[in-house]
Amino acid sequence: RIKSFKNNKEVVKLENISFSFGERKILENINISVNRGEIVGLLGPNGVGKSTIFNLILGMIKPGYGSIKIDTKIVNDYPIYLRSKKFRIGYCPQYAGFIHDLNVAENLKAIGEIKIDNKNRRDEKINLLIAKFELDAVRNVKAKHLSGGLKKRLSIALALLGDPKILLLDEPFAALDVLTIKKLQEIIVDLQSEYNISVMLTDHQAADLLKTVDKAIVISNCSVIASGTPSEIVKNIDAKEAYFGDSFQLR
């Protein structure tokens, strides 16, 4: 994990965000910021609104109140496709993110044809990502037949085809073995060091998330209750009471 931020310029900022599903309040007066090249992790109990925050940033839903800013521009009324293209937002969902009946190369080509107009540049980018994520041995294997770790690598590779400045990762470590998680952690940190991508991720594997991020945010009862470095967050009394418990340790 890179200890210091590369740039203190904010690329994503949620200001006073509130959101409800009908009568059920999900988020209330949420304030979150992500700097250029920073890796930020969202933690909290199930149903607390972590994925909702991703959906708000992506434009899949609109806040009931507050502003979503990307590169200082308020984007509340920008549709999904425009946020993706204009502000270069990449998204890796918890499940899938690829076409099951296409092989690895075909998946990358299908998304590449949408994201990259120039064929030579597209082919070069696809081959680069296949090499980077060590997918060459399975490039002709259908996505549905890949292992869990390889599916995650393919999903992240697909999200990177558009050269995103902001990458959202929803539960990247879920249901993976220890060695695969370690490899994914290295990949995520490499995105920061090699491409200066700002990354937001959420996962219930709290220890694995905290080993990866620069800053962690704990959400409970619709609000941000703690924010800070991994070492700060695990010592926070409110975070312990709401999420970690007394026995959690960051090793």
Side-chain angles (χ1 to χ4, degrees):
R1 183 164 55 86
I2 298 171
K3 305 283 185 182
S4 60
F5 305 158
K6 288 191 169 187
N7 191 320
N8 288 326
K9 180 183 177 183
E10 290 176 336
V11 292
V12 178
K13 189 170 186 177
L14 277 62
E15 288 186 324
N16 306 317
I17 292 292
S18 295
F19 180 83
S20 299
F21 281 120
E23 297 297 317
R24 184 186 171 210
K25 188 176 293 183
I26 306 297
L27 302 171
E28 184 175 16
N29 199 33
I30 290 283
N31 291 280
I32 292 173
S33 64
V34 182
N35 292 334
R36 173 73 65 216
E38 187 177 23
I39 303 176
V40 174
L42 301 180
L43 292 168
N46 275 329
V48 79
K50 302 183 298 295
S51 294
T52 299
I53 289 171
F54 279 9
N55 291 336
L56 285 164
I57 294 170
L58 290 165
M60 297 174 71
I61 53 178
K62 286 187 177 183
Y65 182 82
S67 299
I68 301 165
K69 293 181 179 179
I70 304 176
D71 285 337
T72 71
K73 179 78 173 180
I74 296 176
V75 299
N76 290 38
D77 294 325
Y78 278 61
I80 297 172
Y81 78 92
L82 202 53
R83 292 195 203 189
S84 174
K85 185 173 183 179
K86 182 179 177 65
F87 299 102
R88 289 162 54 193
I89 301 174
Y91 175 52
C92 181
Q94 179 180 357
Y95 301 109
F98 46 77
I99 302 171
H100 289 255
D101 281 325
L102 295 184
N103 66 34
V104 168
E106 289 168 342
N107 264 284
L108 287 162
K109 183 178 179 183
I111 302 302
E113 287 178 350
I114 298 171
K115 294 283 188 179
I116 306 171
D117 294 330
N118 184 282
K119 183 181 182 304
N120 291 333
R121 183 173 172 272
R122 181 168 65 237
D123 291 343
E124 181 182 342
K125 183 73 172 181
I126 288 170
N127 289 328
L128 178 68
L129 289 169
I130 285 174
K132 178 174 180 58
F133 289 94
E134 299 177 3
L135 294 169
D136 195 54
V138 294
R139 67 185 300 148
N140 296 317
V141 176
K142 287 188 176 182
K144 63 183 178 182
H145 297 312
L146 298 175
S147 68
L150 288 171
K151 286 177 179 176
K152 292 289 186 183
R153 290 192 211 178
L154 175 58
S155 294
I156 296 174
L158 290 167
L160 292 176
L161 273 169
D163 292 324
K165 294 193 297 183
I166 304 156
L167 180 62
L168 308 180
L169 302 176
D170 196 354
E171 304 248 7
F173 307 131
L176 299 180
D177 62 81
V178 174
L179 288 177
T180 302
I181 288 173
K182 187 175 186 299
K183 180 64 179 177
L184 280 177
Q185 287 172 324
E186 292 171 355
I187 286 171
I188 292 167
V189 173
D190 281 348
L191 296 177
Q192 183 190 43
S193 59
E194 291 182 26
Y195 303 109
N196 204 24
I197 294 175
S198 302
V199 181
M200 289 187 72
L201 67 151
T202 179
D203 209 288
H204 287 297
Q205 305 285 350
D208 295 316
L209 180 145
L210 290 171
K211 289 175 184 175
T212 310
V213 303
D214 297 305
K215 180 173 72 177
I217 296 167
V218 179
I219 301 170
S220 182
N221 293 325
C222 309
S223 302
V224 172
I225 61 166
S227 177
T229 65
S231 58
E232 291 170 343
I233 213 81
V234 297
K235 297 173 185 174
N236 184 283
I237 299 299
D238 293 331
K240 282 185 177 183
E241 290 180 355
Y243 184 65
F244 292 113
D246 291 328
S247 60
F248 180 86
Q249 292 183 344
L250 182 60
R251 294 189 175 89

